[in-house]
C-alpha cells in the first residue's frame, strides 16, 4: 500500500472566518504533521473565478488565505502548499477528463441543478450559468486525480463532487488503463459547526461570520453582537442550544466545558459569558494573528513559499501528465 495522500483545496473568495478555522484549517494543519501521510493543500483560484469576477477580490483573498495558513503554522517542509493556477498540468488534465465525462453526469451536480431550478422560476433556465459552473466538478476532479489523492477532507456539500471524481477516474481507467487512484471523501461528522452572529450556521453566504483575524477590539465587538435570548443574570440557561457555546465548545477542553455548563445552570449573565468567550478565542488566536499581520506586510515571503510549493507539486504533476498524454495518444509523431 502506498502512503496516504490527503488533499484539499480552498476557494479563494472571501476572508477566512472562525467556522473555516475550526471546521477545516485547524484539523488540516494537525493532519499535516502526521507521519505516513503526504498532505497537499492548495489555493483554488481557478475555482474562485467561477463565483467571483472581481479581480481585486480574488487577489486579496488569495493573499489572506495563504497568510492564514502560514500564520497558523502549516509545516510547508512536510505539506505541499501551492496555488492551483501555478500548476498548468491541472487545467490540461481537466481537458483530458472533460473528454471522458458524460454531460449527463454534470447535469446532476447539485450546484448546477440549484442554479437551474432557481432560474426556472422566471423563464430562462440557463440564465447566468457559465460553462465554468457547469464543468466545476471536472476541474475539481483534475485537482484530486493529478496528485493521486487517497483522502479528500471536505464539507458535506462537496461529497457529490468527490463521487463524480471517482466516476470520472473509473471511466478514464476503463478506457486507457489503471492510471488514477480512486479517491475517498473524508467528512468529519464530529467537526464542530459553529453558529454565526444570527444563530444560523456560520457561513459567508449568510453574512454572519466572525473573521478569524479581526483585531482584538473588533473581535470583542462582534462577539458582543452574537444573538442571545433575553434571560437575565441569575436565570438558568440552556447550554444545549446556545450560539455562544457552539463556539466556546470548539476552543475549550472538557473541564472548562463542565465548569461553564454548571455556570449556565446557575444563570451566568450573557455579558460575562461573552467576555469568557472572547478571552478563550483570543488566547488561542493571538500569536497567529500577530504572525498574520506581519506576513501581510511581507507578501513576497508568501509568494516564495507558494513558488516552492509549486516546484514540489510540479515534480509530481509533470511526469504524471506526460504519462497521461501518452495514454490518450497525444505524443510526438513517430514514437
Ligand atoms: N470546491 C471546493 C469548495 O468550494 C474547493 C476545492 C477545489 C476542492 N478543488 C478541490 C476541495 C479539490 C477538495 C479537493 O469547498
Amino acid at each position: 500500500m502506498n502512503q496516504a495522500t490527503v488533499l484539499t483545496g480552498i476557494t479563494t473568495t472571501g476572508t477566512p472566518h472562525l467556522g473555516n478555522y475550526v471546521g477545516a484549517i485547524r484539523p488540516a494543519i494537525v493532519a499535516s504533521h502526521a507521519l505516513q501521510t503526504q498532505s497537499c493543500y492548495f489555493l483554488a483560484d481557478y475555482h474562485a473565478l467561477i463565483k467571483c469576477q472581481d479581480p481585486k477580490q480574488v487577489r486579496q483573498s488569495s493573499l489572506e488565505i495563504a497568510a492564514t495558513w502560514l500564520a497558523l503554522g502549516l509545516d510547508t517542509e512536510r505539506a505541499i502548499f501551492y496555488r492551483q493556477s501555478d500548476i498548468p498540468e491541472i487545467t490540461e488534465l481537466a481537458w483530458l477528463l472533460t473528454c471522458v465525462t458524460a454531460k449527463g453526469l454534470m447535469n446532476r451536480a447539485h450546484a448546477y441543478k440549484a442554479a437551474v431550478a432557481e432560474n426556472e422560476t422566471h423563464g430562462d433556465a440557463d440564465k447566468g450559468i457559465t460553462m465554468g459552473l457547469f464543468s466545476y466538478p471536472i476541474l475539481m476532479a483534475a485537482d484530486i486525480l493529478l496528485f493521486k489523492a487517497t483522502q479528500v477532507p471536505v464539507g458535506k456539500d462537496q461529497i457529490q463532487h468527490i463521487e463524480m471524481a471517482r466516476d470520472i477516474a473509473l471511466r478514464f481507467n476503463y478506457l486507457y488503463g489503471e492510471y488514477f487512484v480512486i479517491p475517498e471523501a473524508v467528512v468529519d461528522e464530529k467537526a464542530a459547526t459553529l453558529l454565526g452572529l444570527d444563530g444560523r450556521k456560520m457561513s459567508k453566504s449568510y453574512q454572519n461570520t466572525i473573521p478569524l483575524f479581526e483585531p482584538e477590539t473588533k473581535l470583542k465587538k462582534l462577539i458582543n453582537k452574537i444573538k442571545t435570548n433575553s434571560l437575565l443574570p441569575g436565570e438558568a440557561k440552556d447550554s444545549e442550544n446556545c450560539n455562544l457555546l457552539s463556539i466556546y465548545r470548539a476552543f475549550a477542553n472538557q473541564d472548562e466545558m463542565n465548569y461553564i455548563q454548571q455556570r449556565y445552570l446557575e444563570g451566568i449573565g450573557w455579558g460575562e459569558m461573552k467576555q469568557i468567550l472572547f478571552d478563550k478565542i483570543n488566547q488561542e488566536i493571538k500569536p497567529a494573528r500577530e504572525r498574520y499581520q506581519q506576513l501581510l506586510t511581507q507578501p513576497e515571503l508568501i509568494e516564495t513559499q507558494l513558488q516552492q510549493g509549486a516546484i514540489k507539486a510540479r515534480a509530481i504533476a509533470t511526469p504524471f501528465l506526460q504519462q497521461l498524454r501518452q495514454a490518450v495518444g497525444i505524443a510526438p509523431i513517430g514514437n
Side-chain angles (χ1 to χ4, degrees):
M1 177 69 191
N2 288 333
Q3 74 167 359
T5 299
V6 178
L7 174 144
T8 201
I10 311 97
T11 306
T12 53
T13 48
T15 299
H17 57 73
L18 283 182
N20 300 141
Y21 169 66
V22 165
I25 309 173
R26 192 173 61 183
I29 289 177
V30 172
S32 76
H33 294 289
L35 302 169
Q36 304 301 324
T37 34
Q38 170 66 66
S39 11
C40 300
Y41 300 133
F42 66 95
L43 306 174
D45 53 350
Y46 280 140
H47 277 97
L49 300 185
I50 295 168
K51 3 186 176 168
C52 176
Q53 281 150 4
D54 174 355
K56 255 178 59 198
Q57 201 187 319
V58 175
R59 291 192 57 179
Q60 180 63 21
S61 172
S62 300
L63 170 69
E64 289 178 1
I65 294 176
T68 299
W69 283 72
L70 296 173
L72 287 167
L74 177 68
D75 179 353
T76 52
E77 291 296 314
R78 303 212 44 221
I80 308 182
F81 184 56
Y82 55 99
R83 175 168 47 204
Q84 186 183 33
S85 59
D86 283 337
I87 318 298
E89 289 83 359
I90 294 174
T91 40
E92 213 172 324
L93 177 57
W95 182 253
L96 302 188
L97 300 179
T98 298
C99 295
V100 302
T101 301
K103 173 172 177 284
L105 183 67
M106 295 299 98
N107 285 343
R108 291 196 285 277
H110 299 315
Y112 168 69
K113 273 176 44 177
V116 172
E118 164 77 23
N119 279 340
E120 276 170 350
T121 58
H122 42 261
D124 178 6
D126 289 332
K127 184 154 186 276
I129 298 177
T130 63
M131 288 306 294
L133 176 66
F134 188 65
S135 311
Y136 176 118
I138 307 179
L139 180 58
M140 186 158 158
D143 291 329
I144 297 169
L145 300 177
L146 186 58
F147 294 96
K148 300 190 170 130
T150 51
Q151 281 136 296
V152 186
V154 282
K156 287 201 186 72
D157 61 320
Q158 298 289 323
I159 296 175
Q160 188 196 32
H161 294 150
I162 313 298
E163 282 165 3
M164 289 178 160
R166 294 165 62 96
D167 284 352
I168 297 169
L170 288 168
R171 179 77 190 145
F172 189 99
N173 285 355
Y174 171 76
L175 289 167
Y176 298 113
E178 291 292 312
Y179 288 94
F180 292 128
V181 170
I182 308 304
E184 269 175 37
V186 182
V187 180
D188 187 350
E189 295 292 345
K190 294 196 307 297
T193 302
L194 303 200
L195 302 180
L197 299 176
D198 58 358
R200 292 185 291 174
K201 179 186 170 196
M202 191 180 291
S203 159
K204 191 178 163 245
S205 35
Y206 295 146
Q207 300 188 343
N208 65 355
T209 65
I210 300 178
L212 177 58
F213 290 136
E214 284 295 62
E216 267 177 37
T217 45
K218 282 196 91 180
L219 176 63
K220 188 112 209 291
K221 271 201 190 132
L222 282 172
I223 289 175
N224 284 334
K225 275 202 195 157
I226 298 175
K227 216 164 114 187
T228 54
N229 58 28
S230 51
L231 291 174
L232 297 173
E235 294 182 288
K237 298 184 173 62
D238 178 7
S239 59
E240 288 302 309
N241 308 300
C242 172
N243 304 345
L244 297 173
L245 267 196
S246 81
I247 304 177
Y248 186 75
R249 190 175 282 117
F251 290 86
N253 63 31
Q254 194 56 49
D255 285 347
E256 290 165 326
M257 272 312 287
N258 292 344
Y259 169 76
I260 284 293
Q261 277 164 336
Q262 185 56 35
R263 296 289 318 275
Y264 266 60
L265 279 178
E266 293 162 10
I268 189 172
W270 291 133
E272 183 185 352
M273 183 56 206
K274 285 179 170 176
Q275 179 65 42
I276 293 175
L277 178 61
F278 166 78
D279 289 335
K280 192 75 209 150
I281 298 174
N282 197 43
Q283 182 197 346
E284 178 165 328
I285 294 302
K286 194 176 176 149
R289 185 201 290 123
E290 282 162 14
R291 282 193 296 275
Y292 176 78
Q293 293 303 350
Q294 186 63 36
L295 277 166
L296 287 186
T297 64
Q298 299 162 291
E300 64 289 350
L301 286 186
I302 304 176
E303 185 58 30
T304 305
Q305 292 274 0
L306 290 172
Q307 292 301 330
Q308 286 169 356
I311 291 171
K312 289 200 266 176
R314 294 195 73 195
I316 300 169
T318 310
F320 188 35
L321 194 83
Q322 202 48 40
Q323 283 180 16
L324 296 171
R325 290 170 63 110
Q326 283 283 344
V328 300
I330 306 280
I333 301 288
N335 277 342

